[in-house]
Amino acid sequence: MAVAPRTRAVVLGLAQQRWVSRFITRHGLRLGARRFVAGERLEDGLAVVARLNREGIEATLDYLGESVQEEAQARAAAQVYLQVVEAIAERNLRSHISLKPSQLGLDLDRELALELVGAIVARAEARGTFVRLDMEDSSRTQRTLDLFAALRQRWENVGIVIQAALRRSEADLEALARMGANVRLCKGAYLEPPEVAFPRKEDVDANYTKLLRGYLASGNYLAVATHDDRMIEAAKRAAAELGIGRDRFEFQMLYGIRPQAQRRLVAEGYRVRVYVPFGTEWYPYFTRRLAERPANLLFFLANLVRR
């Protein structure tokens, strides 16, 4: 069950308070954040991926960070991603990588982001892996899509994310389908104004099922990113009705959320990929996870009380 929009706003607003961020940043990993974040080092992320692979689950590694303010920070993040690509190949892990364009300089200069992300995609192609551009808040949607289109002109091992909460997403998916894009469809974890995004959960859910069916029907590869059993069943039904093989889509979930459901889907013969984040800049990611679902927030509060 998802958190109501008003509750999400309260949680995210509280997370912006300086004393809250200081406390959670200092103690959060011990108090439960490790359930959702592999750790602060690359080795932590690689160890989680290796364990998931042994369970028949694939992964995508994400080096946490976003909204860099200086070119040097973007270049440093790119170097880490190049290391991630090499580590995946050297250890023969079944893992892609995911990155946030704002961590690679999108807010600073489009050409810088194209240079850095392009270098990562090129290295990933040479090493036989895939790169996914994460979608951030709506202020960056068009710039991220433009960056993806530029990359797609040179490389095929790159994909994009679309958020069902955004009103523009149906039109965006139609354009991406014409490109033959590999898309991850998620609901969206950012607070957006009602003129940009559907404010009611039931409308987001309805749009999600509509969009997933439409993109499956296009014949392009779809990553169904959800923890919602109703959306999972909707994807299964749509694929069966449309005659879409299980090699044309996969289910994606976040590390630490519904691991039993992940194993059950694997046992049923579906491809499952888990998003595995690591790095020191885990606070924004962690607070979005708390705001998404009551179970996540209750888990953290229970650990806080026991401290």
Side-chain angles (χ1 to χ4, degrees):
M1 183 177 67
V3 174
R6 183 174 298 178
T7 305
R8 288 182 62 227
V10 170
V11 173
L12 291 172
L14 186 61
Q16 300 305 312
Q17 298 297 313
R18 186 172 299 177
W19 68 270
V20 175
S21 64
R22 281 202 304 263
F23 178 83
I24 296 180
T25 301
R26 179 176 300 175
H27 303 290
L29 287 179
R30 290 192 299 106
L31 296 177
R34 270 194 180 274
R35 174 174 172 175
F36 309 105
V37 178
E40 296 191 338
R41 303 173 304 130
L42 173 57
E43 284 298 322
D44 298 324
L46 295 170
V48 167
V49 171
R51 176 174 59 77
L52 289 168
N53 285 177
R54 290 193 294 270
E55 297 176 0
I57 299 171
E58 300 183 36
T60 185
L61 270 167
D62 173 60
Y63 174 53
L64 291 167
E66 52 197 80
S67 306
V68 301
Q69 302 299 310
E70 298 177 3
E71 180 177 335
Q73 294 174 303
R75 293 191 177 279
Q79 288 302 310
V80 173
Y81 268 111
L82 293 173
Q83 294 172 21
V84 173
V85 171
E86 292 299 324
I88 288 170
E90 290 168 3
R91 302 189 187 202
N92 198 29
L93 297 173
R94 299 195 307 280
S95 180
H96 297 167
I97 64 173
S98 291
L99 56 83
K100 285 185 169 53
S102 73
Q103 185 186 22
L104 280 299
L106 184 67
D107 293 348
L108 303 176
D109 179 71
R110 178 186 181 277
E111 293 306 313
L112 173 65
L114 184 58
E115 173 198 342
L116 297 180
V117 180
I120 296 166
V121 174
R123 180 73 62 83
E125 180 186 57
R127 299 297 265 159
T129 193
F130 181 87
V131 179
R132 178 87 59 186
L133 304 190
D134 281 337
M135 190 60 73
E136 302 174 75
D137 66 89
S138 62
S139 70
R140 300 185 177 103
T141 300
Q142 190 58 54
R143 285 180 289 151
T144 300
L145 288 166
D146 291 343
L147 175 63
F148 171 73
L151 294 165
R152 194 67 167 66
Q153 290 178 2
R154 294 189 59 186
W155 297 284
E156 293 189 358
N157 64 315
V158 59
I160 190 72
V161 178
I162 291 294
Q163 299 169 347
L166 298 186
R167 296 181 184 274
R168 62 174 289 168
S169 290
E170 184 173 7
D172 288 337
L173 279 176
E174 290 173 357
L176 290 167
R178 291 192 292 271
M179 295 171 58
N182 180 316
V183 170
R184 175 200 290 153
L185 179 64
C186 67
K187 291 186 180 180
Y190 295 89
L191 286 176
E192 303 284 2
E195 63 271 19
V196 171
F198 298 103
R200 299 195 311 160
K201 178 184 179 300
E202 49 266 44
D203 293 331
V204 175
D205 289 352
N207 201 42
Y208 190 97
T209 56
K210 176 184 178 182
L211 296 181
L212 79 83
R213 186 179 184 89
Y215 210 73
L216 284 173
S218 76
N220 295 298
Y221 197 89
L222 181 66
V224 182
T226 183
H227 306 100
D228 188 330
D229 283 331
R230 294 169 304 161
M231 303 301 108
I232 291 170
E233 292 305 315
K236 291 178 181 178
R237 285 195 305 272
E241 291 168 4
L242 294 166
I244 304 297
R246 294 184 183 184
D247 61 335
R248 300 304 303 155
F249 71 100
E250 66 186 49
F251 290 103
Q252 293 194 357
M253 295 188 183
L254 301 175
Y255 175 62
I257 301 180
R258 303 205 65 199
Q260 292 181 336
Q262 297 165 17
R263 298 186 192 105
R264 184 181 70 248
L265 286 166
V266 169
E268 292 174 0
Y270 292 98
R271 178 180 294 166
V272 176
R273 188 175 306 280
V274 169
Y275 184 98
V276 178
F278 75 94
T280 58
E281 300 299 316
W282 51 264
Y283 182 73
Y285 174 86
F286 176 58
T287 56
R288 287 196 292 271
R289 300 294 77 79
L290 293 184
E292 279 178 337
R293 301 176 71 237
N296 297 345
L297 182 58
L298 292 173
F299 172 84
F300 182 73
L301 293 175
N303 280 277
L304 183 62
V305 169
R306 289 197 293 266
R307 182 173 181 264

